[in-house]
Amino acid sequence: MARNSSKSTAGSQAAGATRRLRAGIGIVLVLLLVIGGRLFLVQGLDFGGMAEAAVKQRTQVQTLAAARGEIIDSKGNVLARSVIRYDIVVDQTQNAIGEFDRKNAATGKLDTISRDQGIAELAAALGKSDEDVRTAVTGSRTFNYVARTVTPDVNDAVTKLAIPGIYSRPTTQRVYPFGAVAGGVVGFLGADGTPLAGLEQTMDSKLQGKDGQRSFQIGADGARIPYAPAQETPAQDGQSVKLSIDSDIQWYAQQAIQSQVDKVHAEWGNVVVVEVKTGRIIAMADSNAPDPNKPGATAAKDRGVRSVTAAYEPGSTEKMITAASLIQTGKATALEHVVVPPTYTINGQTFTDAFDHGYENRTLAGIVGFSMNTGTVMLGSRLTKQQRYDWLRRFGIGQRTGIELPGEGSGILATPDKWDGRQEYTVLFGQGVAQTTLQTAMAYQAIANNGVRLKPRLVDAYVDPDGTEHPVPTAPGTEVVSPKTAQSVKDILESTVTDGEVKEAKIDGYRVGAKTGTAESPADNGGGFDGYTASLVGMAPMDNPKYVVVAVVQRPQGSIYGITNGPVFTSVMSQVLRANNVAPSTGKPPHLPQFFDK
Amino acid sequence: MSAAPNNVQSVIGNTARALSGIAAPSRPAPKRSRTPLSVVQSAPRRRRTPFVLFCFAVLAAALMTVLVLNISVSSGQYELVQLRSEQAGLLRHNQELTQKVQNFEAPQNLAAKAAELGMVAATTKGQIDLKSMKVSGTPKPAEKADKPGAAIAAPSVSGAAPAQAASSDQQEATPLPQPVTAKPKAAAASPSTPELPSQAAVPSQAAAPSLPAAGVRSGTIPAPGQKPEQ
């Protein structure tokens, strides 16, 4: 009995323990399940987006801005570059407190600064008046500019002031250290960074790189969490563009043409310097060139590059083309004998010269040397109308040169069927046809380069951010005339300086060939002519021409006969020869006779 | 190996079963020779304590290492941020100075400066042929010509003027190594030129190439490139 009862008591006790044990395990399991399920929900499924929100809160995504490439000249001088600048901005609501505490770096204590003092210090740091700064920081706006694009030094000074509500925002600015020197060629960017002019515009795809991106996680104090996942796509900086422009020559040419334009009160003027063997533009100078740092200060009409945009009637410089085509087609030689009358009438069109003369026994060299329209028309009419047109085209007249600048003009060369009775002859001496200064320069470049016309170019090379240069090869040229013809024409041009009327183009130590041009310029309103275009184009040294220089002034005031571009040409050409260490000329000038004896 | 038959439960619960009706002596004692008991020299038991201590030590060491590593990496991160900001500051400063140099190199600024110092451009040049020792050309000494005509304005690079204003207080303390002959002629030739101010700013900068102080915005880590700007 006792055995039984003891057994049953023991049994019930054991059963109770097991139940409790099981219940406990059950509860634990249920709790585990709940927790596990919750864990799964939170970690695995993330219904509330908590984890995502947390990661988002920690993750910082930054755009790594690609640096815009530089524009440099042929000597490596920087003409355009991007620099770090800061906009100083204000949250006016935060600034509207009477005084604030600032830690004094020297004493390590907190100084109490009044708002007025803060404003005064800020104004001093920014170089602005107290009044301006006070206006900018006072109000209820949460964002307002106090100063824009200040230098890092100024930004540091401002940040040190620790004025409440004053923040700075990094930004980039395009600066042009050489300002107006080659300003038009380099171009400029708009306020939003859009390229608006010059090479900045045409070279934009090379200059602008590709933005990168960086994402990483930060802790509450703003420092980066070392082991957290991070991604970085580096920015690809833009390529730099190396120009053929020599900024010293460019400055010299700009100075020379600006002085000339001011002196003769011309509308505008320009100078183009071309390297004969390569077609590289050494200088492209325009009067009133814009300073790309402040393009707004220059009149809109002056902001481009007139050397390639403005087409005008060139005048007598075109006689070179007529002479070259006559010699090349065998219709005349450089010493062709012509008896030139005082006036010459053909098909009812009468032509006269700029000077009075009787019947003269002239050579073709003498006709070009003294710039006689009569003789040019007499000989030039040996060419058919189509030939005259074709030869002008061959020298690049009426076609864009393809230079890397926006808004290039093609000039105006009407087809022969549209020429009127007078125009078919005037094109022989450069009236009734319009071209840019660059086109004139390249026509002469063809003669200087033994008859091979090249494509002009401003870009020498593209430079990768790591410094690798990718030179732009010289495009193969087109042969316009034979080397023999080119030599004849060179002799004519040199005799024009030695024996003809362009003696003002002489340069000590160098043999020079040159031709002047004086054209009537059509009025902008279309009614007749209202001024003149005076130009001088020349090459040197004639024993092996290396450079062609063209100088042009448009609508100078006063008598056109007193105006000469000689000093501009000689000073620029001398500077170019001197700067490039061109050896003095050797050999004897040809001295082609300007007259013939019967 | 008990003497009781195997099919008899010997215990009930946790108490020994009462032996009933079986007289142990009545059973014939099994004739089995028993191994005589003897004192066995027990193998010396290895004490566990040192091993446990060792484990704890390793654990503690590992934890400490991890902790130290973590701390050093974290502090390294702070240092990195600090150095980065210093580097960025130096880069900015360098860029600033480079820009000033480039500005001085601008041909029109050089020309203005040269004119200010009384230099005159040469208009002619001669060449000496080293082979024949002949002088060609007609070189003449440069003469002071009448005014050189047009002057191209100095580049108006923004930011140069305020920089001078900002450091004007330092400038007063720093004697400027400027020639006394410097006249404000260039300013007259090119009005609103930033050339003079920026030039004046250079010596003071050289005297105090101050870097951006760390933690200027009280209490935050200076991480200009990594901290979102407000």
XYZ file of all heavy atoms in Angstrom, chain A residues 60 62 78 81-86 125-127 151-153 156 159 168 173 177-181 214 216 221 223-224 226-227 247 251 254-255 258-259 262 291 293-294 508 510 578 584, chain B residues 70 73 77-78 92-93 95-96 99 102-103 105-108 111 122-123 125 127 136 138 148-152 154-159 162-163 165-166 205 212 216-217 221 225-226 228-229:
708
model
N 25.840 58.203 -48.229
C 25.998 59.482 -48.887
C 26.366 59.207 -50.330
O 27.273 58.435 -50.600
C 27.135 60.273 -48.235
C 26.821 60.764 -46.853
C 25.767 61.833 -46.874
O 25.815 62.725 -47.711
N 24.805 61.734 -45.994
N 27.672 61.064 -53.661
C 28.231 62.321 -54.146
C 28.527 62.194 -55.618
O 28.999 61.162 -56.076
C 29.543 62.634 -53.436
C 29.367 63.152 -52.050
C 30.707 63.419 -51.412
O 31.717 62.922 -51.875
N 30.700 64.192 -50.367
N 48.593 78.801 -69.960
C 47.183 78.454 -69.776
C 46.308 79.633 -70.208
O 46.481 80.753 -69.737
C 46.905 78.089 -68.315
C 45.425 77.849 -68.113
C 47.702 76.874 -67.923
N 41.129 77.842 -67.675
C 41.152 76.716 -66.748
C 40.021 76.886 -65.742
O 39.483 77.984 -65.579
C 42.496 76.633 -66.025
C 42.722 77.706 -64.982
C 44.171 77.781 -64.588
N 44.540 76.630 -63.786
C 44.982 76.717 -62.529
N 45.067 77.883 -61.937
N 45.316 75.658 -61.859
N 39.689 75.783 -65.095
C 38.625 75.830 -64.097
C 39.247 75.821 -62.719
O 40.176 75.073 -62.462
C 37.695 74.630 -64.254
O 37.070 74.692 -65.512
N 38.737 76.661 -61.834
C 39.273 76.718 -60.476
C 38.138 76.566 -59.466
O 36.972 76.766 -59.793
C 40.018 78.043 -60.206
C 41.278 78.133 -61.027
C 39.106 79.218 -60.457
N 38.539 76.203 -58.222
C 37.549 76.064 -57.158
C 37.207 77.448 -56.633
O 38.087 78.246 -56.337
C 38.115 75.202 -56.019
C 38.566 73.845 -56.553
C 37.094 75.040 -54.913
C 39.431 73.086 -55.579
N 35.936 77.708 -56.508
C 35.481 78.963 -55.930
C 34.347 78.636 -54.963
O 33.846 77.516 -54.936
C 34.983 79.924 -57.019
C 36.100 80.536 -57.837
C 36.860 81.539 -56.999
N 37.899 82.204 -57.764
C 39.146 81.780 -57.840
N 39.501 80.657 -57.224
N 40.054 82.431 -58.523
N 33.978 79.602 -54.166
C 32.908 79.373 -53.190
C 31.865 80.475 -53.294
O 32.194 81.639 -53.479
C 33.485 79.348 -51.772
C 34.380 78.160 -51.551
C 35.724 78.211 -51.874
C 33.869 76.970 -51.062
C 36.547 77.111 -51.708
C 34.684 75.872 -50.894
C 36.017 75.949 -51.211
O 36.819 74.850 -51.053
N 36.043 90.771 -44.655
C 36.592 89.571 -45.282
C 36.216 89.495 -46.749
O 36.985 89.019 -47.583
C 36.113 88.327 -44.547
N 35.017 89.945 -47.056
C 34.542 89.843 -48.437
C 34.952 91.050 -49.271
O 34.761 91.054 -50.486
C 33.009 89.718 -48.461
C 32.432 88.425 -47.887
C 30.927 88.519 -47.810
C 32.840 87.240 -48.755
N 35.468 92.078 -48.630
C 35.824 93.282 -49.364
C 34.603 94.033 -49.866
O 34.618 94.628 -50.935
N 37.394 83.445 -53.668
C 38.548 82.541 -53.699
C 38.581 81.704 -52.421
O 37.990 82.075 -51.408
C 39.843 83.350 -53.794
O 39.931 84.191 -52.659
C 39.887 84.185 -55.045
N 39.290 80.579 -52.455
C 39.389 79.734 -51.252
C 39.915 80.498 -50.041
O 39.481 80.249 -48.918
C 40.365 78.639 -51.678
C 40.220 78.547 -53.147
C 39.934 79.936 -53.611
N 40.857 81.423 -50.252
C 41.402 82.188 -49.131
C 40.309 82.994 -48.441
O 40.222 83.029 -47.212
C 42.503 83.132 -49.627
C 43.761 82.363 -50.018
O 43.818 81.166 -49.675
O 44.640 82.946 -50.656
N 38.087 80.713 -46.524
C 38.661 80.308 -45.239
C 38.469 81.408 -44.205
O 38.120 81.141 -43.052
C 40.155 80.003 -45.401
C 40.385 78.735 -46.202
O 39.420 77.946 -46.319
O 41.485 78.538 -46.717
N 34.876 81.420 -43.135
C 34.509 80.280 -42.295
C 35.026 80.455 -40.877
O 34.392 80.068 -39.914
C 35.081 78.976 -42.889
O 35.104 79.101 -44.298
C 34.250 77.802 -42.503
N 29.137 78.285 -46.846
C 29.731 78.440 -48.172
C 29.432 77.190 -48.977
O 29.295 76.099 -48.435
C 31.230 78.668 -48.065
O 31.863 77.508 -47.595
N 34.733 77.791 -61.259
C 34.659 78.956 -62.122
C 35.703 78.808 -63.206
O 36.785 78.271 -62.980
C 34.928 80.215 -61.302
C 34.508 81.471 -62.030
C 35.111 82.716 -61.410
O 35.888 82.640 -60.481
N 34.757 83.852 -61.955
N 43.426 83.373 -67.518
C 44.510 84.185 -66.954
C 45.027 85.260 -67.909
O 45.526 86.269 -67.458
C 45.606 83.157 -66.666
C 44.915 81.854 -66.600
C 43.758 81.946 -67.520
N 44.900 85.041 -69.226
C 45.447 86.015 -70.166
C 44.382 86.990 -70.659
O 44.657 87.829 -71.507
C 46.112 85.311 -71.355
C 47.472 84.737 -71.034
C 47.897 84.603 -69.718
C 48.340 84.356 -72.037
C 49.136 84.079 -69.413
C 49.596 83.836 -71.745
C 49.983 83.698 -70.426
N 43.173 86.857 -70.158
C 42.133 87.831 -70.476
C 41.903 88.001 -71.958
O 41.653 87.036 -72.679
N 42.025 89.246 -72.410
C 41.663 89.576 -73.785
C 42.639 89.022 -74.810
O 42.343 89.028 -75.997
C 41.556 91.085 -73.937
N 43.815 88.548 -74.388
C 44.746 87.964 -75.352
C 44.161 86.640 -75.840
O 43.962 85.717 -75.057
C 46.142 87.766 -74.717
C 47.047 87.005 -75.667
C 46.750 89.101 -74.368
N 30.264 58.652 -56.157
C 30.829 57.950 -55.012
C 29.723 57.780 -53.988
O 28.998 58.718 -53.689
C 31.963 58.762 -54.425
C 32.508 58.175 -53.136
C 33.811 58.796 -52.774
N 33.669 60.221 -52.517
C 34.699 61.026 -52.297
N 35.917 60.555 -52.364
N 34.506 62.291 -52.053
N 29.067 56.121 -50.022
C 29.698 55.564 -48.831
C 28.771 55.839 -47.662
O 27.766 56.539 -47.801
C 31.076 56.187 -48.597
C 31.052 57.680 -48.532
C 30.903 58.324 -47.311
C 31.165 58.433 -49.674
C 30.868 59.707 -47.259
C 31.127 59.820 -49.624
C 30.976 60.449 -48.406
N 28.409 61.373 -36.520
C 29.256 62.554 -36.431
C 29.773 63.000 -37.790
O 30.575 63.911 -37.878
C 30.430 62.293 -35.485
C 31.271 61.109 -35.946
O 30.949 60.544 -37.017
O 32.235 60.753 -35.260
N 31.637 61.344 -39.894
C 32.828 60.670 -40.418
C 32.417 59.382 -41.112
O 31.395 58.779 -40.787
C 33.802 60.374 -39.302
N 33.240 58.971 -42.025
C 32.911 57.803 -42.818
C 33.078 56.534 -41.996
O 34.012 56.405 -41.196
C 33.870 57.781 -44.006
C 33.588 56.695 -44.974
C 34.451 56.894 -46.204
N 34.391 55.702 -47.016
C 34.937 55.614 -48.207
N 35.564 56.630 -48.715
N 34.841 54.501 -48.891
N 34.346 52.986 -41.674
C 35.425 52.382 -42.467
C 35.025 51.125 -43.241
O 35.381 50.974 -44.384
C 36.492 52.062 -41.432
C 36.170 52.890 -40.250
C 34.711 53.105 -40.260
N 34.260 50.207 -42.566
C 34.028 48.916 -43.213
C 32.737 48.851 -44.013
O 32.466 47.852 -44.649
C 34.018 47.793 -42.154
C 35.335 47.644 -41.458
C 35.445 47.744 -40.072
C 36.484 47.404 -42.203
C 36.658 47.618 -39.447
C 37.702 47.272 -41.575
C 37.799 47.380 -40.201
O 38.991 47.248 -39.596
N 50.813 82.950 -77.568
C 50.138 84.093 -76.950
C 50.987 85.362 -76.952
O 50.444 86.458 -76.919
C 49.667 83.764 -75.535
O 50.634 83.063 -74.847
N 49.404 88.554 -78.529
C 49.308 89.824 -77.831
C 49.891 90.947 -78.683
O 49.305 92.016 -78.818
C 50.057 89.761 -76.496
C 50.266 91.088 -75.886
C 49.331 91.835 -75.222
C 51.459 91.871 -75.919
N 49.888 93.027 -74.834
C 51.193 93.077 -75.249
C 52.731 91.662 -76.447
C 52.150 94.075 -75.098
C 53.684 92.654 -76.289
C 53.389 93.848 -75.617
N 47.573 91.761 -81.486
C 46.371 92.466 -81.004
C 46.699 93.915 -80.672
O 45.943 94.826 -80.985
C 45.819 91.760 -79.758
C 44.814 90.692 -80.112
C 44.221 90.022 -78.883
O 44.356 88.826 -78.724
N 43.580 90.781 -78.025
N 47.843 94.093 -80.028
C 48.280 95.436 -79.672
C 48.475 96.277 -80.936
O 48.038 97.423 -81.012
C 49.601 95.319 -78.909
C 50.140 96.601 -78.401
C 49.844 96.763 -76.923
O 49.017 96.048 -76.375
N 50.497 97.698 -76.296
N 45.088 96.923 -82.697
C 44.255 97.828 -81.898
C 44.770 99.259 -82.026
O 43.989 100.205 -82.205
C 44.264 97.399 -80.435
C 43.258 98.129 -79.557
C 41.833 97.756 -79.907
O 41.466 96.588 -79.911
N 41.012 98.750 -80.243
N 46.084 99.418 -81.995
C 46.670 100.748 -82.153
C 46.303 101.327 -83.514
O 45.953 102.505 -83.632
C 48.194 100.678 -82.033
O 48.559 100.080 -80.829
N 42.647 102.294 -83.645
C 42.430 103.545 -82.908
C 42.967 104.738 -83.694
O 42.354 105.795 -83.723
C 43.140 103.472 -81.548
C 42.483 102.466 -80.615
O 41.411 101.934 -80.990
O 43.025 102.205 -79.525
N 37.338 90.157 -73.201
C 37.989 89.472 -72.083
C 37.012 88.397 -71.619
O 35.945 88.710 -71.094
C 38.272 90.470 -70.948
C 38.974 89.804 -69.774
O 38.990 88.558 -69.707
O 39.494 90.542 -68.918
N 36.822 86.655 -69.183
C 36.438 86.727 -67.781
C 35.209 87.596 -67.594
O 34.493 87.483 -66.613
C 37.588 87.302 -66.949
C 38.798 86.383 -66.949
O 38.685 85.231 -66.572
N 39.927 86.892 -67.378
N 35.018 88.509 -68.537
C 33.907 89.458 -68.444
C 33.385 89.743 -69.839
O 33.515 90.871 -70.331
C 34.432 90.769 -67.843
C 33.912 91.058 -66.446
C 34.331 92.455 -66.073
C 34.383 92.606 -64.579
N 35.083 93.840 -64.212
N 64.172 94.755 -92.556
C 65.631 94.622 -92.571
C 66.052 93.173 -92.405
O 65.628 92.496 -91.481
C 66.230 95.431 -91.411
C 66.595 96.827 -91.870
O 66.520 97.062 -93.103
O 66.920 97.662 -91.024
N 65.436 90.533 -94.108
C 64.594 89.464 -94.663
C 64.020 89.893 -96.006
O 63.664 91.053 -96.201
C 63.445 89.130 -93.715
C 63.901 88.565 -92.400
C 64.004 89.366 -91.275
C 64.250 87.226 -92.296
C 64.425 88.857 -90.070
C 64.685 86.703 -91.097
C 64.770 87.516 -89.988
O 65.198 86.999 -88.798
N 61.508 87.164 -85.482
C 62.443 87.269 -84.374
C 62.131 86.209 -83.310
O 63.007 85.490 -82.853
C 62.308 88.659 -83.765
C 63.433 89.044 -82.871
C 63.372 90.519 -82.537
N 62.222 91.189 -83.150
C 62.049 92.501 -83.133
N 62.917 93.270 -82.573
N 60.983 93.046 -83.685
N 68.261 85.098 -91.164
C 68.103 86.138 -92.179
C 68.145 85.531 -93.576
O 68.721 84.461 -93.786
C 69.309 87.045 -91.944
C 69.799 86.722 -90.589
C 69.407 85.321 -90.296
N 39.826 47.997 -34.174
C 38.666 48.826 -34.518
C 38.927 50.275 -34.200
O 38.653 51.168 -35.015
C 37.448 48.342 -33.743
C 36.487 47.617 -34.658
O 36.379 47.985 -35.812
N 35.837 46.586 -34.153
N 41.495 51.684 -36.588
C 40.942 51.925 -37.928
C 40.036 53.149 -37.903
O 40.088 54.016 -38.778
C 40.183 50.687 -38.431
C 39.353 51.026 -39.647
C 41.157 49.572 -38.752
N 40.543 56.600 -39.697
C 39.566 57.237 -40.579
C 39.471 58.737 -40.285
O 39.446 59.562 -41.188
C 38.205 56.566 -40.388
C 37.145 57.017 -41.371
C 37.466 56.572 -42.778
O 38.158 55.578 -42.976
N 37.004 57.324 -43.751
N 39.460 59.040 -38.993
C 39.412 60.465 -38.616
C 40.644 61.192 -39.124
O 40.584 62.292 -39.643
C 39.292 60.618 -37.100
C 37.912 60.338 -36.593
C 37.559 59.081 -36.137
C 36.945 61.352 -36.598
C 36.288 58.810 -35.689
C 35.669 61.090 -36.154
C 35.344 59.813 -35.690
O 34.077 59.568 -35.268
N 43.917 73.768 -52.965
C 43.228 75.029 -53.260
C 44.206 76.187 -53.210
O 44.207 77.061 -54.060
C 42.114 75.251 -52.243
C 40.874 74.453 -52.495
C 39.725 75.065 -51.731
N 40.020 75.175 -50.316
C 39.671 74.277 -49.407
N 39.008 73.220 -49.787
N 39.966 74.441 -48.140
N 45.038 76.141 -52.186
C 45.993 77.223 -52.012
C 46.961 77.261 -53.188
O 47.269 78.324 -53.731
C 46.757 76.991 -50.705
C 47.481 78.195 -50.231
N 46.815 79.333 -49.826
C 48.794 78.458 -50.112
C 47.715 80.239 -49.478
N 48.913 79.731 -49.632
N 46.404 76.107 -56.160
C 45.679 76.552 -57.342
C 45.580 78.071 -57.368
O 45.768 78.711 -58.406
C 44.270 75.938 -57.302
C 43.544 76.036 -58.609
C 42.147 75.484 -58.480
O 41.372 75.912 -57.634
N 41.805 74.543 -59.306
N 45.332 78.607 -56.200
C 45.198 80.051 -56.059
C 46.501 80.751 -56.464
O 46.505 81.709 -57.237
C 44.885 80.335 -54.582
C 44.619 81.765 -54.258
C 43.245 82.166 -54.717
O 42.461 81.268 -55.077
O 42.977 83.372 -54.754
N 47.290 80.444 -60.129
C 46.481 81.369 -60.913
C 47.083 82.768 -60.883
O 47.091 83.487 -61.878
C 45.065 81.397 -60.351
C 44.095 82.021 -61.307
C 42.870 82.483 -60.585
O 42.405 81.831 -59.669
N 42.347 83.624 -60.985
N 50.011 82.819 -63.175
C 49.565 82.879 -64.570
C 49.078 84.269 -64.927
O 49.282 84.755 -66.037
C 48.456 81.853 -64.804
C 48.997 80.442 -64.865
C 47.906 79.414 -64.816
O 46.761 79.725 -64.525
N 48.251 78.176 -65.086
N 48.447 84.895 -63.956
C 47.950 86.237 -64.205
C 49.108 87.201 -64.431
O 49.050 88.073 -65.287
C 47.112 86.679 -63.005
C 45.954 87.537 -63.442
O 45.634 87.574 -64.628
N 45.346 88.228 -62.514
N 51.872 86.363 -65.650
C 52.523 85.990 -66.906
C 51.782 86.514 -68.127
O 52.285 86.414 -69.238
C 52.624 84.464 -67.006
C 53.765 83.884 -66.216
C 53.766 82.374 -66.255
O 52.780 81.774 -66.713
O 54.765 81.784 -65.810
N 50.579 86.997 -67.942
C 49.807 87.494 -69.081
C 50.627 88.562 -69.798
O 51.182 89.450 -69.155
C 48.480 88.059 -68.608
N 50.745 88.458 -71.145
C 51.621 89.376 -71.876
C 51.332 90.846 -71.572
O 52.254 91.628 -71.415
C 51.330 89.048 -73.331
C 50.764 87.692 -73.330
C 50.081 87.505 -72.017
N 50.040 91.187 -71.473
C 49.737 92.603 -71.264
C 50.186 93.068 -69.885
O 50.628 94.200 -69.714
C 48.248 92.899 -71.503
C 47.272 92.203 -70.583
C 46.787 90.893 -71.134
O 47.599 90.064 -71.524
N 45.499 90.657 -71.177
N 53.966 93.434 -70.070
C 54.323 94.633 -70.827
C 54.106 95.875 -69.975
O 54.943 96.788 -69.955
C 53.503 94.707 -72.105
N 62.492 96.766 -78.287
C 63.421 96.964 -79.399
C 62.652 96.861 -80.705
O 61.752 96.040 -80.836
C 64.519 95.909 -79.338
N 62.989 97.685 -81.640
C 62.272 97.657 -82.910
C 63.115 97.044 -84.013
O 62.594 96.597 -85.015
C 61.862 99.070 -83.321
O 63.008 99.916 -83.191
C 60.742 99.593 -82.451
N 66.657 94.577 -85.106
C 67.619 93.621 -84.579
C 68.651 93.316 -85.642
O 68.395 93.451 -86.831
C 66.928 92.346 -84.111
C 66.548 91.384 -85.205
C 66.320 89.991 -84.642
C 65.957 89.026 -85.749
N 65.764 87.672 -85.284
N 71.849 90.454 -86.835
C 72.290 89.090 -86.621
C 73.780 89.015 -86.838
O 74.328 89.678 -87.713
C 71.592 88.123 -87.595
C 70.144 87.878 -87.281
C 69.241 88.670 -88.203
O 69.696 89.325 -89.127
N 67.951 88.599 -87.926
N 74.576 91.377 -89.927
C 73.582 91.786 -90.915
C 72.469 92.522 -90.184
O 72.287 92.370 -88.982
C 73.028 90.568 -91.659
O 72.503 89.651 -90.730
N 70.490 96.309 -89.394
C 70.980 97.569 -88.852
C 70.412 97.766 -87.457
O 69.470 98.527 -87.261
C 70.555 98.744 -89.741
O 69.152 98.611 -89.994
C 71.320 98.766 -91.036
N 52.970 103.717 -76.757
C 52.844 102.519 -77.579
C 51.452 102.316 -78.162
O 51.176 101.282 -78.732
C 53.178 101.399 -76.585
C 52.834 101.958 -75.259
C 53.109 103.420 -75.337
N 50.616 103.315 -78.061
C 49.286 103.174 -78.648
C 48.365 102.433 -77.716
O 48.423 102.605 -76.502
N 47.575 101.563 -78.318
C 46.555 100.891 -77.526
C 47.194 99.944 -76.518
O 48.224 99.348 -76.772
C 45.642 100.097 -78.446
N 46.597 99.848 -75.374
C 47.036 98.854 -74.403
C 45.877 97.916 -74.160
O 44.745 98.354 -73.967
C 47.445 99.527 -73.105
N 46.173 96.653 -74.205
C 45.114 95.674 -73.940
C 44.904 95.606 -72.439
O 45.863 95.498 -71.674
C 45.513 94.302 -74.520
C 45.582 94.428 -76.036
C 44.543 93.228 -74.107
C 46.227 93.270 -76.716
N 44.234 94.584 -68.690
C 44.651 93.419 -67.921
C 43.459 92.486 -67.747
O 42.324 92.936 -67.695
C 45.170 93.853 -66.564
N 43.723 91.185 -67.687
C 42.608 90.256 -67.519
C 41.866 90.525 -66.208
O 42.494 90.709 -65.171
C 43.269 88.884 -67.507
C 44.720 89.127 -67.348
C 45.009 90.505 -67.782
N 40.580 90.587 -66.283
C 39.805 90.847 -65.066
C 39.360 89.523 -64.471
O 38.223 89.105 -64.618
C 38.608 91.734 -65.377
O 37.795 91.119 -66.329
N 40.321 88.869 -63.842
C 40.013 87.598 -63.190
C 39.373 87.919 -61.848
O 39.956 88.627 -61.033
C 41.287 86.762 -62.998
C 40.975 85.490 -62.248
C 41.908 86.444 -64.337
N 38.198 87.388 -61.644
C 37.466 87.736 -60.433
C 38.110 87.100 -59.222
O 38.849 86.132 -59.319
C 36.024 87.261 -60.550
O 36.020 85.851 -60.485
N 37.818 87.678 -58.081
C 38.275 87.080 -56.829
C 39.603 87.628 -56.368
O 39.973 87.482 -55.220
N 39.008 90.896 -53.738
C 38.594 90.571 -52.368
C 39.689 89.856 -51.592
O 39.808 90.022 -50.387
C 37.388 89.665 -52.564
C 36.888 89.979 -53.917
C 38.100 90.352 -54.717
N 40.500 89.070 -52.288
C 41.570 88.345 -51.613
C 42.505 89.326 -50.932
O 42.986 89.091 -49.836
C 42.345 87.504 -52.612
N 41.658 92.351 -49.940
C 40.955 92.977 -48.834
C 40.984 92.079 -47.604
O 41.139 92.530 -46.485
C 39.520 93.269 -49.242
N 40.862 90.769 -47.867
C 40.799 89.835 -46.749
C 42.108 89.799 -45.984
O 42.128 89.623 -44.778
C 40.467 88.452 -47.275
N 50.649 86.734 -48.487
C 50.305 85.315 -48.524
C 51.530 84.465 -48.241
O 51.471 83.477 -47.541
C 49.796 84.963 -49.905
C 48.469 85.607 -50.166
C 47.484 84.593 -50.624
O 47.866 83.581 -51.184
N 46.231 84.796 -50.374
N 43.500 76.168 -43.866
C 42.220 76.212 -43.178
C 42.310 75.449 -41.861
O 42.719 74.290 -41.837
C 41.272 75.532 -44.158
C 42.153 74.791 -45.108
C 43.430 75.562 -45.164
N 36.631 74.293 -38.084
C 36.207 75.675 -37.963
C 34.733 75.781 -37.619
O 34.313 76.701 -36.943
C 36.495 76.451 -39.259
C 37.920 76.921 -39.247
C 36.222 75.594 -40.460
N 33.988 74.821 -38.094
C 32.565 74.902 -37.773
C 32.330 74.073 -36.528
O 31.932 72.922 -36.576
C 31.717 74.416 -38.948
C 30.717 75.465 -39.342
C 30.052 75.099 -40.624
N 30.879 75.449 -41.775
C 30.656 74.988 -42.983
N 29.668 74.152 -43.199
N 31.415 75.344 -43.970
N 33.591 67.208 -37.658
C 34.818 66.741 -38.276
C 34.973 67.456 -39.596
O 34.043 67.472 -40.396
C 34.733 65.226 -38.532
C 34.449 64.490 -37.222
C 35.994 64.714 -39.180
C 35.546 64.594 -36.207
N 35.122 67.181 -48.388
C 34.733 66.429 -49.567
C 33.721 65.351 -49.249
O 33.127 64.782 -50.132
N 33.525 65.059 -47.977
C 32.717 63.893 -47.654
C 31.497 64.229 -46.826
O 30.637 63.407 -46.620
C 33.575 62.888 -46.874
C 34.792 62.470 -47.684
C 35.572 61.400 -47.009
O 35.345 61.111 -45.856
N 36.492 60.797 -47.720
N 28.103 66.302 -46.289
C 27.177 67.085 -47.098
C 27.144 68.529 -46.619
O 27.051 68.773 -45.421
C 25.835 66.390 -46.870
C 25.989 65.692 -45.572
C 27.431 65.319 -45.454
N 27.239 69.417 -47.537
C 27.130 70.831 -47.177
C 25.662 71.151 -46.944
O 24.795 70.657 -47.648
C 27.667 71.707 -48.309
C 29.173 71.687 -48.432
C 29.880 72.439 -47.323
O 29.230 73.292 -46.680
O 31.044 72.171 -47.097
